[in-house]
């Protein structure tokens, strides 16, 4: 009996040990599962938090975009104001993020706070400034000098024997100028230091090319686009021509790689402009044309848009082309059309504002006169309309999204657009 009891006790002990070992194994397994579940919960929680943060940021971004896109400002405050030496003021041009001011007796480069970075004196009877990227040129029309600048100041002066009719500059500092004598016109080229390049194009009204009305150099300086007038059956017609001055154009007479006559039958081309190294545009009296020089030896007319109304103004930047035309038959006398370099329309807007100047800076279109302005974004929405208490000759974007640089002959101000308008 005692042996039996002893055996029972041993059996129970073994069973207890087995249960303890088994329970211990289960406890270890449960701990691993608990840790896994805890980690999974943390990951899910982090994901949810990240998702909420992203949604909040996205909503904020969309809200900010809607706000800045749709909001119409009606007032402004002056951030800073600076008096300028008027002199014989002629005009301002955007030069990088700053302004080039030029006159008959000199030029100055003004930074975004109105400070003069440099000043260059000269004497010109009829100065005309052009800008392309990092370089600017000021030519004395009907005179014989062209001053060439970069953002650090004057880098060269080109001197001509014949009177200057037109001038253009590349972003590399190469200058092309139309010169005239009593029998023909010539296109000469100059390096950034003002020395002449051994390149010349002779143009005659009754010749193969015609009379050069306007010219434009591509930013890299290897392509020249020209608007020409020529006689055909006793009628004056327009022509657009492309010349290539890179190595591939050497073997071609006059470097002429493309000419377009048919699109301008019985019309004249008044202005041409390279928007970048690939796209260019031409403005005639009844159309705007968009060209691609992707194939350097065979420029292509990408799109021609006929304009039935009278063209009042043309203006452009590197990314957009703008036209203002008459809008007969409605309460709004004008129509504003904005295009991309490939000819696709960005927006069209009718208006009745009495503007005298039109510009594009960044993603804003500026219409302004001597004492007021209108600012549109690239959705065609009116962002700001206001008046000023001093004469205005130039308006551009300021240092921040809601600021503008407003410049006159004697004043330069940065204004901050007021929050206190209404949605349009």
């Amino acid at each position: 009996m005692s042996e039996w009891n002893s055996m029972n006790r041993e059996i129970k002990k073994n069973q207890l040990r087995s249960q303890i070992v088994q329970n211990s194994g289960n406890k270890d397994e449960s701990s691993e599962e608990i840790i896994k579940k805890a980690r999974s919960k943390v990951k899910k929680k982090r994901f949810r938090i990240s998702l909420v943060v992203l949604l909040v940021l996205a909503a904020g971004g969309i809200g900010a975009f809607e706000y800045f896109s749709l909001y119409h400002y009606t007032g402004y405050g002056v951030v800073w104001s600076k008096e300028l030496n008027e002199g014989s003021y002629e005009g301002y041009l955007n030069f990088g993020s700053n302004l080039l001011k030029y006159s008959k007796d000199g030029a100055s480069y003004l930074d975004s706070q109105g400070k003069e970075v440099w000043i260059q004196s000269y004497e010109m009877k009829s100065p005309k400034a052009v800008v392309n990227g990092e370089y600017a040129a000021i030519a004395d029309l009907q005179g014989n000098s062209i001053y060439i600048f970069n953002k650090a100041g004057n880098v060269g002066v080109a001197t001509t024997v014949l009177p200057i009719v037109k001038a253009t500059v590349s972003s590399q500092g190469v200058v092309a100028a139309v010169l005239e004598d009593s029998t023909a016109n010539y296109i000469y080229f100059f390096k950034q230091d003002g020395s002449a390049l051994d390149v010349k194009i002779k143009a005659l009204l009754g010749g193969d090319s015609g009379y050069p009305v306007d010219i434009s150099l591509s930013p890299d300086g290897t392509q020249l686009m020209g608007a020409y007038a020529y006689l055909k059956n006793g009628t004056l017609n327009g022509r657009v021509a492309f010349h290539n001055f890179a190595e591939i154009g050497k073997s071609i007479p006059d470097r002429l790689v493309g000419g377009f006559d048919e699109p301008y039958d019985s019309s004249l081309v008044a202005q041409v402009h390279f928007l970048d190294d690939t796209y260019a545009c031409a403005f005639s009296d009844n159309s705007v044309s968009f060209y691609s020089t992707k194939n350097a030896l065979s420029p292509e007319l990408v799109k021609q848009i006929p304009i039935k109304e009278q063209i009042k103004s043309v203006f452009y930047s590197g990314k957009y082309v703008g036209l203002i035309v008459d809008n007969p038959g409605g309460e709004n006398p004008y129509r504003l059309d904005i295009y991309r370099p490939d000819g696709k329309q960005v927006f069209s807007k009718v208006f009745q504002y009495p503007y005298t100047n039109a510009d594009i800076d960044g993603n804003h279109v500026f219409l302004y006169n001597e004492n007021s302005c209108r600012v549109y974004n690239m959705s065609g929405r009116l962002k700001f309309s206001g008046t000023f208490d001093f004469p205005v000759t130039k308006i551009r974007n300021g240092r921040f999204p809601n600021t503008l640089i407003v410049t006159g002959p004697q004043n330069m101000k940065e204004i901050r657009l007021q929050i206190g308008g209404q949605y349009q």
Side-chain angles (χ1 to χ4, degrees):
M1 189 76 174
S2 61
E3 289 181 1
W4 177 256
N5 289 335
S6 296
M7 287 179 63
N8 281 338
R9 282 199 294 272
E10 285 299 322
I11 291 169
K12 288 180 180 179
K13 286 180 181 179
N14 289 334
Q15 287 177 343
L16 183 62
R17 288 194 193 99
S18 176
Q19 285 178 359
I20 291 171
V21 171
Q22 188 175 359
N23 288 337
S24 175
N26 288 340
K27 189 179 290 184
D28 290 341
E29 186 178 350
S30 297
S31 298
E32 290 178 3
E33 288 178 358
I34 289 170
I35 291 171
K36 286 180 181 179
K37 287 178 180 178
R39 286 176 178 172
S40 178
K41 285 181 180 179
V42 169
K43 286 181 180 179
K44 287 179 181 178
K45 191 172 183 181
R46 285 177 180 173
F47 175 76
R48 289 194 195 100
I49 293 171
S50 299
L51 186 61
V52 170
V53 170
L54 287 174
L55 289 173
V56 170
L57 290 174
I62 292 170
F65 174 79
E66 290 292 322
Y67 178 83
F68 285 112
S69 296
L70 303 179
Y71 210 84
H72 173 63
Y73 298 95
T74 56
Y76 66 89
V78 177
V79 179
W80 56 259
S81 178
K82 184 177 179 62
E83 290 188 5
L84 304 174
N85 180 21
E86 181 175 0
S88 55
Y89 162 81
E90 289 289 325
Y92 292 94
L93 283 181
N94 292 345
F95 192 11
S97 59
N98 300 322
L99 286 172
L100 175 69
K101 178 185 178 183
Y102 66 101
S103 66
K104 292 181 179 180
D105 51 20
S108 57
Y109 187 45
L110 306 174
D111 69 13
S112 58
Q113 292 184 297
K115 297 176 183 177
E116 291 178 331
V117 179
W118 51 257
I119 302 173
Q120 175 65 46
S121 60
Y122 53 69
E123 291 294 331
M124 293 186 184
K125 291 182 179 180
S126 181
K128 180 65 176 177
V130 289
V131 170
N132 195 338
E134 299 293 316
Y135 281 85
I138 303 176
D140 189 10
L141 301 185
Q142 296 303 318
N144 305 99
S145 62
I146 304 172
Y147 280 70
I148 306 167
F149 304 90
N150 63 17
K151 294 177 183 179
N154 180 232
V155 294
V157 181
T159 303
T160 66
V161 176
L162 298 173
I164 300 165
V165 178
K166 291 274 185 180
T168 181
V169 66
S170 77
S171 64
Q172 309 298 316
V174 175
V175 171
V178 178
L179 313 179
E180 68 175 356
D181 64 15
S182 58
T183 60
N185 279 26
Y186 304 86
I187 302 175
Y188 279 79
F189 296 81
F190 304 91
K191 298 177 184 177
Q192 60 182 240
D193 63 1
S195 59
L197 285 163
D198 189 22
V199 181
K200 180 177 69 174
I201 299 172
K202 184 176 181 179
L204 295 167
L205 182 62
D208 293 335
S209 60
Y211 174 87
V213 177
D214 192 30
I215 56 172
S216 178
L217 276 170
S218 62
D220 64 8
T222 64
Q223 302 174 83
L224 177 78
M225 182 185 191
Y228 294 87
Y230 71 100
L231 287 172
K232 179 182 178 182
N233 300 325
T235 304
L236 205 57
N237 286 268
R239 167 184 292 146
V240 169
F242 290 87
H243 305 265
N244 189 290
F245 296 95
E247 190 68 26
I248 57 175
K250 265 188 175 182
S251 60
I252 302 171
D254 282 340
R255 307 277 186 140
L256 183 64
V257 293
F260 299 85
D261 298 353
E262 188 177 340
Y264 308 105
D265 190 29
S266 300
S267 66
L268 292 175
V269 183
Q271 196 170 345
V272 292
H273 183 71
F274 264 102
L275 301 167
D276 54 32
D277 285 323
T278 300
Y279 289 102
C281 57
F283 305 94
S284 77
D285 51 8
N286 59 15
S287 70
V288 55
S289 305
F290 296 87
Y291 291 90
S292 170
T293 60
K294 194 171 184 179
N295 184 341
L297 291 178
S298 182
E300 175 190 3
L301 176 59
V302 177
K303 191 171 187 178
Q304 185 176 41
I305 300 169
I307 308 294
K308 296 179 181 179
E309 305 83 3
Q310 183 179 356
I311 298 174
K312 308 296 290 185
S313 303
V314 298
F315 49 102
Y316 37 73
S317 66
K319 295 182 179 179
Y320 302 102
V321 173
L323 285 89
I324 296 176
V325 302
D326 280 335
N327 183 47
E331 62 179 17
N332 297 296
Y334 305 113
R335 189 182 77 237
L336 167 65
D337 296 327
I338 301 295
Y339 300 93
R340 298 190 188 280
D342 59 3
K344 293 179 181 177
Q345 190 174 77
V346 179
F347 74 85
S348 182
K349 187 88 172 179
V350 294
F351 66 95
Q352 57 178 337
Y353 172 69
Y355 82 100
T356 55
N357 296 283
D359 284 324
I360 299 175
D361 186 24
N363 289 321
H364 288 126
V365 178
F366 299 94
L367 305 182
Y368 53 100
N369 55 33
E370 189 178 28
N371 57 17
S372 67
C373 84
R374 282 191 172 190
V375 183
Y376 294 89
N377 65 13
M378 286 303 166
S379 297
R381 295 185 179 275
L382 181 63
K383 293 293 298 168
F384 172 70
S385 58
T387 58
F388 306 104
D389 58 0
F390 68 99
V392 175
T393 54
K394 183 71 175 177
I395 300 177
R396 65 166 301 169
N397 287 326
R399 295 172 296 167
F400 304 102
N402 64 330
T403 62
L404 303 175
I405 301 293
V406 184
T407 312
Q410 296 177 311
N411 293 276
M412 184 174 181
K413 299 182 181 183
E414 183 175 33
I415 64 172
R416 179 177 288 112
L417 304 182
Q418 298 281 3
I419 298 175
Q422 57 189 3
Y423 284 95
Q424 293 286 312

